[in-house]
């Protein structure tokens, strides 16, 4: 039986409505019978922090904050919204997907062996993954994040066709609908052994790392909504 879902959308209108909005989203569903602290509790906390920080501020560019449902069932919530926005011919400056933001470890895994040389073998950084068309924008964002914590960024062609591991979050449906999209993540199952397990609990997280991620995210969001 098909399950109905519900996306929760907060639109903070900017002073210049002619500017395309920034959309930042995080899925609020989790795998049944798991604590879901990193996947995706950390991202939901970050999204709520953005709402608290920017709800009372005067914004130049509109900011849309979205809690997506049913990501774990094939990204249904983000797919529905991406298709709707495309049908409405609604432009977006950028879509940012927040996906697992709080885990670090000594050993980082990668989908391709050569990535060890590029990004290092320690899982202590925030990853920024985007379509190649926004390389310069991602560079700007990476520079802001890197003031607070280690980062790595990767811009890929063809909506990540050569890297299926990086298409498994809510940015992917937006890529498919022609929008620029960015994934912010601790690299999920490529790092966190608790992925989709009951052991994905708060005590497994690096809360100092997560705090730095949120601080960086606030500054990045401020930068994006001012320009």
């Amino acid at each position: 039986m098909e399950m109905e879902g519900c996306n929760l959308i907060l639109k903070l209108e900017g002073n210049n409505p002619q500017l395309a909005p920034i959309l930042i989203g995080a899925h609020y569903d989790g795998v049944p019978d798991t604590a879901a602290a990193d996947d995706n509790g950390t991202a939901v906390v970050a999204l709520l922090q953005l709402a608290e920080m920017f709800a009372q501020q005067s914004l130049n560019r509109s900011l849309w904050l979205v809690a997506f449902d049913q990501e774990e069932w094939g990204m249904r919530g983000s797919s529905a919204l991406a298709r709707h926005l495309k049908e409405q011919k609604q432009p977006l400056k950028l879509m940012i997907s927040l996906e697992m933001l709080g885990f670090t470890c000594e050993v980082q895994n990668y989908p391709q062996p050569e990535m060890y040389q590029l990004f290092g073998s320690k899982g202590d950084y925030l990853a920024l993954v985007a379509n190649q068309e926004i390389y310069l924008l991602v560079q700007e964002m990476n520079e802001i994040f890197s003031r607070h914590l280690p980062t790595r960024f990767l811009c890929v062609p063809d909506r990540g066709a050569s890297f299926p591991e990086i298409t498994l979050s809510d940015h992917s449906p937006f890529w498919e609908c022609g929008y620029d999209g960015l994934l912010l993540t601790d690299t999920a199952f490529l790092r966190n052994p608790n992925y989709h397990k009951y052991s994905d609990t708060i005590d497994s997280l690096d809360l100092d790392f997560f705090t730095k991620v949120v601080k960086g995210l606030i500054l990045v969001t401020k930068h994006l909504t001012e320009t």
Side-chain angles (χ1 to χ4, degrees), residues 128-171:
L128 295 77
V129 182
N131 55 292
Q132 65 179 6
E133 290 80 4
I134 55 170
Y135 180 87
L136 293 179
L137 179 59
V138 176
Q139 269 193 322
E140 291 178 15
M141 298 170 66
N142 183 72
E143 193 278 328
I144 295 171
F145 272 115
S146 65
R147 299 172 195 169
H148 298 275
L149 75 163
T151 60
R152 307 286 189 274
F153 75 92
L154 178 68
C155 293
V156 298
D158 302 323
R159 303 191 298 270
S162 300
F163 297 90
E165 293 86 354
I166 64 174
T167 64
L168 303 177
S169 189
D170 290 311
H171 62 294

Side-chain angles (χ1 to χ4, degrees), residues 36-207:
D38 196 26
D39 184 19
N40 201 26
T42 50
V44 172
V45 169
L47 194 71
L48 292 172
Q49 186 64 47
L50 291 179
E52 182 177 355
M53 290 293 296
F54 289 96
Q56 304 303 322
Q57 294 190 20
S58 176
L59 304 175
N60 187 42
R61 184 186 298 274
S62 294
L63 174 64
W64 296 358
L65 302 175
V66 183
F68 293 115
D69 198 2
Q70 297 189 16
E71 189 267 357
E72 302 290 3
W73 280 263
M75 296 170 285
R76 292 178 180 177
S78 53
S79 295
L81 181 58
R83 289 194 302 267
H84 173 74
L85 295 178
K86 182 180 180 180
E87 290 169 359
Q88 297 296 312
K89 295 182 170 57
Q90 171 65 54
L92 294 175
K93 170 68 174 177
L94 179 66
M95 185 277 175
I96 300 176
S97 175
L98 308 178
E99 178 70 58
M100 302 180 64
L101 300 173
F103 190 85
T104 61
C105 65
E106 291 298 317
V107 180
Q108 174 70 49
N109 296 310
Y110 296 102
Q112 298 186 8
E114 57 268 24
M115 297 178 74
Y116 285 95
Q117 293 182 343
L118 289 172
F119 302 124
S121 60
K122 188 173 183 180
D124 64 347
Y125 61 83
L126 175 69
L128 295 77
V129 182
N131 55 292
Q132 65 179 6
E133 290 80 4
I134 55 170
Y135 180 87
L136 293 179
L137 179 59
V138 176
Q139 269 193 322
E140 291 178 15
M141 298 170 66
N142 183 72
E143 193 278 328
I144 295 171
F145 272 115
S146 65
R147 299 172 195 169
H148 298 275
L149 75 163
T151 60
R152 307 286 189 274
F153 75 92
L154 178 68
C155 293
V156 298
D158 302 323
R159 303 191 298 270
S162 300
F163 297 90
E165 293 86 354
I166 64 174
T167 64
L168 303 177
S169 189
D170 290 311
H171 62 294
S172 188
F174 286 84
W175 278 354
E176 292 172 2
C177 288
Y179 292 105
D180 292 326
L182 170 70
L183 169 66
L184 294 180
T185 181
D186 61 18
T187 75
F189 56 86
L190 294 173
R191 178 185 301 177
N192 192 337
N194 306 304
Y195 177 77
H196 288 183
K197 296 179 181 178
Y198 186 76
S199 54
D200 182 13
T201 56
I202 270 189
D203 61 305
S204 70
L205 302 180
D206 183 338
L207 296 181

